[in-house]
Amino acid sequence: MKKDNIPPFESWPVRYPNKKTVIAKISSFVEGMKKASTGEEAYKVWKQSAKYSDKIYTQISHISVLYSINTQDKKLIKLQKKMNQDMPEIEAVSKEFSKAVLASPHREYLEKKLGSFYFQMAENALKGFSEAIIPEMIKESELTMQYGALIASAKIEFRGGTYNLSQMGKFMEDLDRNTRKEAADAYYGFLSGIKDQLEDIYDQLVKVRDTMAKKLGYKSYTELGYINMQRYDYTPEEVAAYREAIRESVTPLAGKIAKAKLKRVGIKKPQVYDMGLAFKDGNPAPLGSTADKVANAQKMYDQISEETSYFFNLMVKTGVLDLEAKPGKQSGGYMTFFPTYKIPFIFSNFNGTSGDVDVLTHEFGHSFQYCMSRDIKIPEYRMPTMEACEIDSMSMEFFAEPYMDLFFDDPVKYRYLHLADSISFLPYGVTVDEFQHWVYENPNATPAERDAKWHELEVKYTPYKVEAYGDCEYMATGHRWLTQGHIFSSPFYYIDYTLAQVMAFQFFNLDRKNHEKAWKKYVKLCKMGGKYPFRTLIAKAGLKDPFKEGVVKSTIKPLVKQLNSYNVD
């Protein structure tokens, strides 16, 4: 395997891409494409453009990462705001290059070099953009930045310490019920204090997005949202049928899991602060410090495969992991990448719960896929569409399960909890999706009407949770969605997780029968990157289509037996 020589992340220079320079450079590629007299010349221009695109993407990604790590740094705030202002204009000239490629008299030659899917992606992207919506794009970026900063601003005083939202997670899983109650009161108390601001930000976002869609000639933002999410081969109607399959096949099972959990911990009248506790002697907590978890992950990936060993150790060596929750840091977790350096980056908020291990294996799944396809010459093919991306991450969580003795004193409890939570996630995930469809079909709904709709959908998909909301006004009045960042910053990006979870369960089921076959199939999927749309990609990987009737049910059925085999009750 070729060895990489990448400088440490902390030594990378922060370079803000000058807007005028970037626009002039891309404009030169536009002219070059138009003037190309042969297919070879046109392809040469395209290659120059792709190389330059990698450079600019790296600079943009670097700044975004640094800002997400510290949303209170004045210099980074200034750079992020400037980027929000400049990027729509840069995107506008980039779209002119796409138009030039699509209109090239040498298109047949270019299609042989780039593949037909490249042109399908370019045509789709043009459907979602016009210079007329640049003001709205800028406003949308400003509002999502406000949301992230507001969530990151949490400074919750609790038992002599000050914590952000992520850090409060461990207290809300504490074995002591009074601790859980006090932690929940503090957590939801903070959110109650900012809920009106969050509602206002979202109300503005919905109206801005609706305006974009109307300017582009669409009936609602739903159409534009599907274009932006690159949904090439399935429709809202197919998604609605899939949601119903989840409700029929998974909601009852998730309800049984929730009831078994409460019986196990001995709680007859559950409150919201009881729903996070899974075992009477406490939830499995990962051993050691963050450094210990990373060291154990190195041991694990050394054993899984030569490729996982090489790339995880490379990431540790380069310092492209920022894992611990801290003041001013954005919430959540993500993976991004820097094409110039050919390395990904993992961002998370460790808080001392089993979720630390979940997010580390999840985001490394994304990272591994990028590393497997990073040498693909066409940038658009290195990463698949988002629902396919999430297969890579969620499946890696399951491939890591045999090594959980490295992280937990009782790995069986972790395995049970991880599988149980993964199943129970599906009804929540489709709740988020149906909520977003309703929101953008009803853009003038009031905040109160949105909250009521959320509550209605929770009753539909996760009634076993709603039963515990009684004493928590924030949750009982339909505000849970306000902390789901995807709803604010990435509209319609959530059904992707549920589709990917069903696909990951397919890998999990196969892995129990034939590990080598499952791993080989997984690596094949990762290496394909984004060369095909979702349903074509999974077909080439030998996976069953989750939109087809009966697939959700047949995928979930073996999981029940696996859950029971853990014998944790």
Side-chain angles (χ1 to χ4, degrees), residues 441-563:
E441 292 302 318
N442 299 274
N444 295 315
T446 65
E449 288 170 334
R450 291 191 195 110
D451 297 336
K453 185 63 180 181
W454 176 265
H455 182 74
E456 175 191 321
L457 292 173
E458 282 195 301
V459 171
K460 176 180 178 180
Y461 290 111
T462 56
Y464 45 88
K465 288 184 180 180
V466 176
E467 293 169 3
Y469 288 170
D471 288 350
C472 182
E473 183 181 359
Y474 179 88
M475 295 290 274
T477 51
H479 291 96
R480 164 65 183 90
W481 65 274
L482 289 172
T483 50
Q484 190 58 65
H486 303 74
I487 294 175
F488 285 77
S489 61
S490 305
F492 291 104
Y493 182 179
Y494 217 74
I495 199 68
D496 310 71
Y497 288 111
T498 73
L499 291 166
Q501 189 70 79
V502 172
M503 314 308 289
F505 285 148
Q506 291 183 36
F507 276 118
F508 179 77
N509 291 333
L510 179 58
D511 195 41
R512 293 306 171 271
K513 298 176 182 177
N514 187 327
H515 170 71
E516 271 124 28
K517 185 176 179 180
W519 182 254
K520 185 177 180 180
K521 186 179 284 194
Y522 174 71
V523 171
K524 179 182 178 181
L525 177 68
C526 291
K527 284 184 175 180
M528 283 192 286
K531 291 181 179 179
Y532 310 99
F534 173 62
R535 294 173 92 168
T536 305
L537 192 72
I538 60 174
K540 285 184 176 292
L543 298 167
K544 295 179 181 178
D545 189 333
F547 290 111
K548 290 187 176 178
E549 188 174 352
V551 169
V552 169
K553 186 176 182 179
S554 65
T555 302
I556 295 296
K557 188 177 179 181
L559 303 179
V560 178
K561 184 177 180 180
Q562 184 65 40
L563 266 183

Side-chain angles (χ1 to χ4, degrees), residues 56-67:
I56 299 305
Y57 186 93
T58 295
Q59 292 175 357
I60 291 167
S61 187
H62 189 200
I63 291 169
S64 293
V65 165
L66 293 175
Y67 171 73

Side-chain angles (χ1 to χ4, degrees), residues 141-212:
S141 294
E142 290 173 349
L143 288 166
T144 55
M145 187 175 172
Q146 286 177 31
Y147 171 78
L150 187 57
I151 291 293
S153 72
K155 295 179 180 178
I156 301 172
E157 301 296 327
F158 183 74
R159 295 189 174 180
T162 304
Y163 305 94
N164 64 18
L165 292 174
S166 297
Q167 290 169 321
M168 290 298 294
K170 63 182 177 182
F171 300 116
M172 294 168 74
E173 291 186 7
D174 197 273
L175 190 57
D176 178 66
R177 200 177 191 209
N178 288 329
T179 299
R180 296 198 305 274
K181 182 182 186 307
E182 286 180 39
D185 288 345
Y187 181 91
Y188 293 116
F190 169 78
L191 290 174
S192 294
I194 64 169
K195 68 179 174 62
D196 289 344
Q197 292 171 265
L198 296 173
E199 300 256 27
D200 180 62
I201 290 171
Y202 191 63
D203 190 64
Q204 292 182 67
L205 277 168
V206 170
K207 289 177 170 57
V208 163
R209 288 167 179 156
D210 185 63
T211 299
M212 282 189 211

Side-chain angles (χ1 to χ4, degrees), residues 270-539:
Q271 296 296 321
V272 68
Y273 48 82
D274 296 316
M275 300 306 286
L277 186 66
F279 301 101
K280 197 161 189 175
D281 57 351
N283 288 0
L287 302 167
S289 64
T290 294
D292 294 325
K293 292 167 196 170
V294 171
N296 289 331
Q298 287 176 289
K299 293 175 185 176
M300 173 176 69
Y301 287 121
D302 285 346
Q303 294 179 62
I304 288 179
S305 77
E306 181 184 354
E307 293 88 355
T308 55
S309 175
Y310 175 75
F311 286 116
F312 190 78
N313 282 294
L314 176 65
M315 293 181 71
V316 173
K317 178 184 175 183
T318 311
V320 285
L321 302 95
D322 195 285
L323 304 176
E324 291 186 325
K326 49 197 169 189
K329 188 175 181 179
Q330 280 185 354
S331 63
Y334 66 76
M335 183 283 291
T336 189
F337 56 93
F338 309 104
T340 298
Y341 297 102
K342 289 191 174 185
I343 196 166
F345 186 97
I346 292 177
F347 171 100
S348 71
N349 279 274
F350 279 11
N351 61 3
T353 68
S354 62
D356 295 353
V357 177
D358 296 340
V359 74
L360 183 57
T361 55
H362 180 100
E363 300 305 341
F364 183 67
H366 284 307
S367 302
F368 182 69
Q369 180 275 309
Y370 171 74
C371 290
M372 288 290 94
S373 58
R374 64 181 182 158
D375 290 324
I376 293 175
K377 300 298 183 185
I378 301 167
E380 290 81 0
Y381 289 172
R382 291 180 198 139
M383 298 290 291
T385 49
M386 297 316 301
E387 68 288 270
C389 276
E390 298 302 343
I391 302 173
D392 306 313
S393 56
M394 290 176 154
S395 299
M396 181 62 84
E397 293 179 40
F398 287 120
F399 282 118
E401 281 201 354
Y403 304 90
M404 287 301 108
D405 58 317
L406 290 167
F407 297 92
F408 297 94
D409 280 331
D410 192 339
V412 174
K413 283 186 177 177
Y414 170 82
R415 292 183 187 113
Y416 172 86
L417 185 60
H418 180 239
L419 182 56
D421 285 351
S422 297
I423 294 169
S424 300
F425 164 75
L426 290 171
Y428 172 74
V430 296
T431 302
V432 173
D433 183 70
E434 187 165 338
F435 177 69
Q436 292 192 91
H437 276 84
W438 182 87
V439 163
Y440 290 108
E441 292 302 318
N442 299 274
N444 295 315
T446 65
E449 288 170 334
R450 291 191 195 110
D451 297 336
K453 185 63 180 181
W454 176 265
H455 182 74
E456 175 191 321
L457 292 173
E458 282 195 301
V459 171
K460 176 180 178 180
Y461 290 111
T462 56
Y464 45 88
K465 288 184 180 180
V466 176
E467 293 169 3
Y469 288 170
D471 288 350
C472 182
E473 183 181 359
Y474 179 88
M475 295 290 274
T477 51
H479 291 96
R480 164 65 183 90
W481 65 274
L482 289 172
T483 50
Q484 190 58 65
H486 303 74
I487 294 175
F488 285 77
S489 61
S490 305
F492 291 104
Y493 182 179
Y494 217 74
I495 199 68
D496 310 71
Y497 288 111
T498 73
L499 291 166
Q501 189 70 79
V502 172
M503 314 308 289
F505 285 148
Q506 291 183 36
F507 276 118
F508 179 77
N509 291 333
L510 179 58
D511 195 41
R512 293 306 171 271
K513 298 176 182 177
N514 187 327
H515 170 71
E516 271 124 28
K517 185 176 179 180
W519 182 254
K520 185 177 180 180
K521 186 179 284 194
Y522 174 71
V523 171
K524 179 182 178 181
L525 177 68
C526 291
K527 284 184 175 180
M528 283 192 286
K531 291 181 179 179
Y532 310 99
F534 173 62
R535 294 173 92 168
T536 305
L537 192 72
I538 60 174

Side-chain angles (χ1 to χ4, degrees), residues 200-253:
D200 180 62
I201 290 171
Y202 191 63
D203 190 64
Q204 292 182 67
L205 277 168
V206 170
K207 289 177 170 57
V208 163
R209 288 167 179 156
D210 185 63
T211 299
M212 282 189 211
K214 301 289 173 57
K215 279 189 175 184
L216 292 173
Y218 298 113
K219 180 183 176 182
S220 74
Y221 183 77
T222 302
E223 293 176 80
L224 180 55
Y226 269 57
I227 288 168
N228 290 340
M229 289 303 299
Q230 298 178 286
R231 305 243 157 102
Y232 300 106
D233 48 9
Y234 57 94
T235 65
E237 292 73 25
E238 288 176 295
V239 170
Y242 166 79
R243 289 197 304 260
E244 182 60 17
I246 295 295
R247 190 189 68 78
E248 289 178 354
S249 296
V250 188
T251 290
L253 176 57

